[in-house]
Amino acid sequence: MALDLITLFPEMFTALTQQGVVSRAFKQGLVNVQFWNPREFALNANKTVDDRPYGGGPGMVMMAAPLAAAIRAACERQRALGKKPHVIYLSPQGRVLTQTWIADCLQHVQQQSNIETQRGLVLLCGRYEAIDERLFDLGLIDEELSIGDVVVSGGELPAMLMLDALLRCVEGVLNDDMSAQQDSFSRAVDGLLDCSHYTRPEKFEEFTVPSVLLSGDHAKIAVFRRQQSLLNTMRKRFDLIEQARAQGQLSVADEKFLASQMDSEG
């Protein structure tokens, strides 16, 4: 996987590249990563990358020239690696990051059937009030991505969040690849929330592990976990139940269980 990160604070990414389970992707060479600091492309001796907005108003705007040069340099490296660069700007105005987006992105960056369309990711981490709009006019940005309806101080934390979600799905990063495949929102659980989980001891204070999980009957355990997934989703994110229903992903048994739970909970 080829990854280029455009950021004023590359040192922030050590939390991703050197710590935690996802750092394996970098330490094992599963990701070819390079950082680009826009200050290296600044046009004056002070390495200025921001200025006041035309028309007045609060805050500063990241200048077009340093960012355009950094993006073009990153894309050139991607093309030299045989990748098709895809530039993502981390922005609160973008498409909201979802597990479905992660799965689709992973398919593109690991495309094997047509290597010429295999994507390389270029992530642009903004700062200050905004970036100069002319970067969009020039067609230098392919996609805006948001972590939700919230504004943070820069794109580094959203970029790390996105990369953590993406890289944990790469084969060989987690101890058990099935862990990522069965996460909440994944296609393996039809976009629902994950089931409840338990570990030792068998009894903690006044609560015990559900007996079915101790039975060794894998068929019954699978039914129980599906029902727990449905129950968690019904109670916490009913919109996901409606979404799964609209897509025809709920079975007759699923609907019967949901109906019984809704009746019992009023």
Side-chain angles (χ1 to χ4, degrees):
M1 184 184 300
L3 174 64
D4 286 77
L5 289 156
I6 301 171
T7 171
L8 291 173
F9 301 101
E11 65 275 7
M12 289 182 65
F13 286 87
T14 58
L16 188 77
T17 61
Q18 297 181 22
Q19 301 176 46
V21 66
V22 173
S23 68
R24 293 176 185 168
F26 299 92
K27 294 173 181 176
Q28 295 176 10
L30 300 177
V31 181
N32 181 334
V33 62
Q34 182 159 328
F35 292 91
W36 305 87
N37 192 324
R39 294 196 189 281
E40 298 172 0
F41 301 90
L43 301 179
N44 63 13
N46 293 327
K47 303 295 184 181
T48 304
V49 295
D50 64 304
D51 206 342
R52 295 172 180 172
Y54 280 117
M60 303 290 278
V61 175
M62 294 193 78
M63 301 168 71
L67 291 185
I71 291 170
R72 286 167 174 151
C75 289
E76 184 61 30
R77 188 186 89 94
Q78 292 279 347
R79 285 188 282 268
L81 293 172
K83 309 290 185 180
K84 182 179 180 181
H86 185 74
V87 181
I88 299 174
Y89 171 46
L90 283 304
S91 159
Q93 298 185 17
R95 173 184 175 181
V96 176
L97 177 67
T98 65
Q99 199 67 29
T100 298
W101 185 95
I102 291 293
D104 291 341
C105 181
L106 192 65
Q107 282 190 323
H108 285 298
V109 299
Q110 295 186 325
Q111 177 73 259
Q112 297 298 325
S113 59
N114 187 353
I115 198 69
E116 293 180 356
T117 64
Q118 190 180 72
R119 278 185 185 172
L121 298 180
V122 178
L123 303 189
L124 172 59
C125 303
R127 281 272 156 177
Y128 312 112
E129 185 71 17
I131 63 173
D132 193 302
E133 186 68 19
R134 288 168 291 188
L135 294 166
F136 296 97
D137 297 334
L138 288 166
L140 293 176
I141 295 171
D142 298 305
E143 184 174 7
E144 285 185 85
L145 192 65
S146 168
I147 58 169
D149 295 341
V150 62
V151 178
V152 294
S153 299
E156 286 80 11
L157 289 175
M160 283 189 277
L161 190 152
M162 184 272 273
L163 289 173
D164 189 289
L166 180 70
L167 295 175
R168 69 190 306 278
C169 295
V170 173
E171 185 177 351
V173 173
L174 300 182
N175 287 327
D176 186 342
D177 293 329
M178 288 298 292
S179 295
Q181 294 177 27
Q182 297 179 357
D183 282 336
S184 294
F185 314 113
S186 67
R187 289 168 178 165
V189 295
D190 297 324
L192 303 176
L193 300 184
D194 197 5
C195 63
S196 303
H197 295 279
Y198 303 83
T199 189
R200 294 175 177 80
E202 184 178 328
K203 183 176 182 180
F204 177 67
E205 297 186 3
E206 68 268 35
F207 296 100
T208 59
V209 175
S211 59
V212 64
L213 297 177
L214 308 174
S215 69
D217 189 324
H218 296 291
K220 288 183 178 179
I221 290 173
V223 171
F224 173 80
R225 286 178 168 163
R226 177 65 174 187
Q227 291 178 344
Q228 288 297 299
S229 174
L230 290 164
L231 190 58
N232 282 342
T233 310
M234 183 188 79
R235 290 173 174 171
K236 301 174 184 179
R237 289 287 306 275
F238 195 77
D239 61 301
L240 296 178
I241 293 287
E242 294 174 328
Q243 177 179 290
R245 180 176 288 137
Q247 295 174 353
Q249 294 172 319
L250 299 183
S251 67
V252 173
D254 290 339
E255 294 286 14
K256 184 177 180 180
F257 175 78
L258 286 170
S260 68
Q261 293 301 308
M262 294 181 72
D263 288 342
S264 65
E265 296 189 7

